[in-house]
């Protein structure tokens, strides 16, 4: 269940960033497919690189802040990657620059952490 919330949060973060930020725009005016393309890239990379605390609500604040900062950098680089892929294919999402990618990364990471904090938290495994 926790993994599904991370997936939903990642996809919602991508949709929210594309819809709300002026520096991130769609290349071709066929929104469902372009948001799906950027969402798939984010989902694949975020599943390969886990920069989330095991339980958001019970994690120490320092750990959440450190992982959030690392995650914002990761998501910023992902926005730049998605923009580069889109420019090569003339299809997808265009990011105007580093500041727009940074804002998109912050929106994305905060959305994922908020979705992960909702609902029951995973039980820590005994050592």
């Amino acid at each position: 269940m926790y993994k599904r919330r991370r997936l939903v949060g990642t996809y919602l973060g991508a949709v929210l960033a594309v819809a709300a930020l002026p520096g991130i725009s769609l290349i071709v005016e066929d929104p469902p497919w372009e948001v799906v393309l950027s969402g798939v890239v984010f989902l694949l990379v975020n599943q390969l690189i886990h920069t989330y605390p095991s339980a958001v609500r019970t994690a120490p604040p320092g750990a959440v802040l450190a992982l959030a900062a690392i995650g914002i950098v990761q998501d910023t680089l992902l926005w730049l990657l998605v923009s580069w892929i889109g420019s090569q294919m003339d299809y997808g999402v265009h990011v105007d620059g580093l500041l727009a990618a940074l804002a998109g990364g912050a929106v994305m990471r905060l959305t994922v952490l908020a979705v992960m904090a909702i609902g029951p938290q995973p039980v820590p495994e005994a050592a």
Side-chain angles (χ1 to χ4, degrees), residues 59-76:
V64 173
L65 287 175
L67 290 173
I70 292 168
I72 289 173
V73 171
Q74 173 189 337
D75 289 343
T76 299

Side-chain angles (χ1 to χ4, degrees), residues 11-23:
Y11 191 73
L12 287 177
V15 170
L16 184 63
V18 167
L21 296 175

Side-chain angles (χ1 to χ4, degrees), residues 11 29 37 49 112:
Y11 191 73
E29 298 301 321
L37 173 69
I49 304 170
V112 171

Side-chain angles (χ1 to χ4, degrees), residues 14 18 23 54 56-57 79 89 101:
V18 167
S54 59
V56 175
R57 289 188 300 198
W79 276 113
M89 298 183 346

Side-chain angles (χ1 to χ4, degrees), residues 14-80:
V15 170
L16 184 63
V18 167
L21 296 175
I24 300 175
S25 59
L26 301 174
I27 293 175
V28 178
E29 298 301 321
D30 191 13
W33 293 111
E34 296 184 19
V35 174
V36 167
L37 173 69
S38 61
V40 165
V41 171
F42 279 109
L43 290 174
L44 289 175
V45 174
N46 279 335
Q47 291 307 306
L48 295 173
I49 304 170
H50 296 285
T51 54
Y52 300 101
S54 59
V56 175
R57 289 188 300 198
T58 59
V64 173
L65 287 175
L67 290 173
I70 292 168
I72 289 173
V73 171
Q74 173 189 337
D75 289 343
T76 299
L77 294 173
L78 281 173
W79 276 113
L80 294 173

